[in-house]
Amino acid sequence: LGMYDMHGNVWELTFTKKGSVRVFCGGSWDYDGDYCEASYRDGGGPDDRFSNLGFRVLAVPVGE
């Protein structure tokens, strides 16, 4: 997909929900390598806050 360096910094908070649980993926700086996969998912309540949970910014060039 042309994306690089997507693993290991913070869990990626997604817009996906399973019931009242928000889904996050990708692992973070304080987990071992087994969790740092794009396919790994976890979840938490809408009010959960963690120092290792955030979002990733992806820029797509115009015209491509």
Side-chain angles (χ1 to χ4, degrees), residues 4-49:
Y4 303 95
D5 298 326
M6 296 296 293
H7 301 293
N9 186 16
V10 294
W11 285 97
E12 179 183 357
L13 182 61
T14 69
F15 286 108
T16 306
K17 288 185 181 179
K18 291 190 176 186
S20 62
V21 174
R22 295 176 65 182
V23 176
F24 33 93
C25 62
S28 73
W29 54 269
D30 67 343
Y31 282 74
D32 62 32
D34 294 337
Y35 297 96
C36 293
E37 298 177 358
S39 62
Y40 189 83
R41 302 288 188 262
D42 204 346
D47 295 329
D48 289 348
R49 302 292 182 261

